[in-house]
Amino acid sequence: MLPLRKRWQRWWRGESTAGVGLDALLLAHYPGAVMLLDDQGVVCEVNPAFERHAGYPPEQLLGRRAVMLDIDPLRGDFAQALEQCLATRRAWQGVLLCRRADGSLRHQTTMIQPLQQGEAPPRLLVMQYDVTGMRERELRERHQLTRLEGSVARMPGVLFRLRQDGEGRLEFLYLSEGLQSLFGLAPEQCMDAPQSLLGRLPDEDRQRLEAVLAQSTVSLAPWQLDFRLSLPRGLRWVEARATPLARREGEQMWDGVLIDIDERKQVEQRIQRLVGTDMLTGALNRRAFLEQGEAALARSARHGQTLSLAMLDLDHFKALNDTYGHAAGDLALQAFATTCRESLRPYDLFARIGGEEFVVLLVDSRPEEAWAILERLRQAVAAIELEADGETIRFTVSLGLAVLSADGSLDAGLGQADRALYRAKHSGRNRICGPESLVQAPDMP
């Protein structure tokens, strides 16, 4: 140790370091404090820059225990780290809060390495580097992050980062805590298993999501989509808005927000029903029927299916109005509409397109099935009995059936059904007329 001490004294006096070995150069130029301790933790040597980095002159620390640097010399972290190294003969690394000679506290990243030489008691090499500035910045950033996370958690929405890899697989890299409060889903679970969230989209909505993501991947344009989530409390409407990040290595990411718009959608749907509903009968009006009918026709075309369309007209309705008055006529229209809805399936379209003229679009039905449904409807209407001014009112309905092919149009179908209805009227009323290809019982009831 004597040669090393002499070399250290030369470095301390600023004498030439020519010929000094690599180990001595590292000791001389290490950007921090270096100490050599005996097995009792007493400081035997320090590096030349010790005072500048540790705040203590070497003569003040040499021969004394290194734990005097600790804020608690008796039970502090420094003493525990030294004891652990001596007991396990393994290196220790961590950050210690140390007190300088002027009383200021500094965070020192510390590495303690046991040195074993033969049978002699081990010594300890201690290297420290002041990271107070970094630590303070970390604490400030952590505090700011905590505040930011608190603000994000209180947002009326869910922040997300969505990633799509080169195979088209989707995963969430981040979901804020709003997912739990708004939809009852755990963010961690949905990040670990994306299907916990994405699997709750109905097939139609999932396809629309995939379409907007594909378009955004090509155009790098922001996207917006309203979709439904199937939750334990039922379907809820969600709005998603996202901005793409630059593509890299075959993957695409988006930063965005999810907003619960279920209440808004409910209001919109109520307004839509009011706008698209006939006020007297509650049936769809002509405009709403055409919109929904075109959508149903497009769906059937994608699957190569046919649709059945029927025109309905109350028989001798003008005579009923003239005989019993318009109030009785309105009552008859309401009873007719109620009977039709009870005879049809929930997903069939039923609309009033004129005074006593109605139209039915039978979804997902073969023509033979449609004929049977309409026949039950015709019989149910014939069984209606209304009381007006002490008299019983009865009425019937005539129906014209048309079959729309996958490449057909709604206007053409309405024309065919209208011509079939004309034949039903001129064949005696209270009957169904339709395509000649349908083999049915005679039209007469």
Side-chain angles (χ1 to χ4, degrees):
M1 294 303 298
L2 183 59
L4 182 60
R5 183 183 297 274
K6 289 181 178 179
R7 285 199 296 267
W8 175 83
Q9 290 172 346
R10 289 201 301 272
W11 304 330
W12 185 257
R13 293 194 297 267
E15 297 177 1
S16 173
T17 59
V20 177
L22 177 61
D23 55 347
L25 286 172
L26 289 174
L27 189 66
H29 296 285
Y30 177 72
V34 181
M35 296 176 283
L36 184 64
L37 314 181
D38 65 14
D39 61 335
Q40 300 301 314
V42 174
V43 180
C44 301
E45 297 184 42
V46 296
N47 65 329
F50 180 82
E51 182 176 3
R52 178 159 52 91
H53 292 291
Y56 283 89
E59 60 272 13
Q60 188 175 346
L61 198 61
L62 289 171
R64 303 180 64 181
R65 298 193 70 205
V67 293
M68 67 176 292
L69 298 173
D70 204 328
I71 57 173
D72 184 355
L74 297 180
R75 296 178 299 275
D77 294 336
F78 203 166
Q80 294 181 23
L82 293 176
E83 291 176 4
Q84 179 179 334
C85 277
L86 290 170
T88 64
R89 306 296 174 92
R90 294 181 180 177
W92 182 93
Q93 187 171 355
V95 177
L96 298 174
L97 186 60
C98 296
R99 189 184 304 276
R100 292 172 64 91
D102 60 5
S104 62
L105 300 179
R106 310 296 290 178
H107 290 279
Q108 302 276 1
T109 182
T110 304
M111 196 275 283
I112 307 174
Q113 177 65 52
L115 303 175
Q116 185 71 49
Q117 293 182 339
E119 298 299 326
R123 292 179 298 171
L124 301 174
L125 178 66
V126 180
M127 293 179 288
Q128 291 190 314
Y129 183 78
D130 192 334
V131 293
T132 303
M134 296 170 56
R135 187 77 170 185
E136 289 176 348
R137 286 194 298 273
E138 177 188 351
L139 292 175
R140 286 196 301 270
E141 291 171 357
R142 186 179 300 174
H143 178 65
Q144 291 173 352
L145 180 60
T146 300
R147 292 179 58 187
L148 178 59
E149 289 177 342
S151 299
V152 168
R154 291 190 295 271
M155 285 184 60
V158 182
L159 298 183
F160 69 86
R161 172 166 286 185
L162 179 65
R163 173 183 175 270
Q164 185 177 52
D165 64 16
E167 302 297 325
R169 291 185 291 265
L170 297 173
E171 67 171 330
F172 290 100
L173 302 182
Y174 175 75
L175 285 163
S176 66
E177 290 298 325
L179 189 70
Q180 181 73 56
S181 57
L182 287 178
F183 306 117
L185 301 176
E188 295 79 9
Q189 180 182 355
C190 294
M191 285 187 280
D192 292 339
Q195 287 303 308
S196 299
L197 177 57
L198 298 174
R200 295 179 178 273
L201 276 69
D203 291 341
E204 180 182 353
D205 294 5
R206 179 65 180 266
Q207 292 171 6
R208 292 192 297 115
L209 174 62
E210 293 172 351
V212 298
L213 291 180
Q215 184 177 0
S216 179
T217 299
V218 174
S219 64
L220 289 181
W223 57 270
Q224 182 272 331
L225 181 68
D226 294 351
F227 58 87
R228 294 159 295 174
L229 279 181
S230 179
L231 301 172
R233 53 185 173 178
L235 283 175
R236 292 192 72 81
W237 278 97
V238 179
E239 178 185 288
R241 295 177 179 268
T243 300
L245 305 178
R247 294 192 67 184
R248 62 179 185 181
E249 300 178 358
E251 68 177 25
Q252 179 65 58
M253 290 191 293
W254 294 269
D255 284 339
V257 61
L258 302 176
I259 303 173
D260 186 343
I261 59 168
D262 195 69
E263 185 175 347
R264 189 189 83 193
K265 277 292 186 180
Q266 298 296 340
V267 172
E268 290 177 356
Q269 290 172 356
R270 285 196 296 269
I271 294 174
Q272 185 66 29
R273 284 195 293 269
L274 290 174
V275 172
T277 301
D278 175 64
M279 297 302 294
L280 177 64
T281 63
L284 297 175
N285 59 27
R286 185 182 187 90
R287 182 184 64 82
F289 173 78
L290 293 176
E291 290 178 356
Q292 297 186 33
E294 290 291 354
L297 186 58
R299 286 194 297 270
S300 66
R302 286 197 299 269
H303 296 91
Q305 299 173 338
T306 60
L307 286 178
S308 297
L309 178 69
M311 296 281 287
L312 298 78
D313 187 272
L314 294 185
D315 297 326
H316 304 296
F317 184 72
K318 184 178 183 303
L320 187 153
N321 260 337
D322 293 342
T323 302
Y324 300 104
H326 289 286
D330 289 348
L331 186 61
L333 290 172
Q334 291 172 335
F336 170 74
T338 299
T339 299
C340 287
R341 282 192 293 271
E342 292 173 350
S343 302
L344 299 171
R345 299 161 304 181
Y347 46 85
D348 293 326
L349 301 183
F350 171 62
R352 183 185 183 190
I353 59 173
E356 69 272 18
E357 291 183 334
F358 294 79
V359 62
V360 170
L361 186 64
L362 296 162
V363 180
D364 192 24
S365 295
R366 296 193 303 274
E368 295 80 6
E369 295 172 331
W371 191 291
I373 293 171
L374 295 175
E375 175 60 21
R376 288 196 299 271
L377 185 153
R378 185 196 66 77
Q379 294 177 9
V381 171
I384 295 174
E385 294 183 354
L386 301 175
E387 296 296 328
D389 297 329
E391 295 190 44
T392 300
I393 301 175
R394 297 183 178 85
F395 53 89
T396 58
V397 63
S398 298
L399 305 94
L401 176 62
V403 178
L404 281 69
S405 62
D407 58 352
S409 70
L410 196 59
D411 285 341
L414 287 171
Q416 295 172 22
D418 190 54
R419 290 190 291 273
L421 175 62
Y422 179 83
R423 295 200 306 273
K425 287 286 189 181
H426 286 266
S427 299
R429 296 183 173 84
N430 190 21
R431 67 193 62 227
I432 305 172
C433 285
E436 295 180 357
S437 59
L438 290 179
V439 180
Q440 297 291 334
D443 289 339
M444 289 296 293

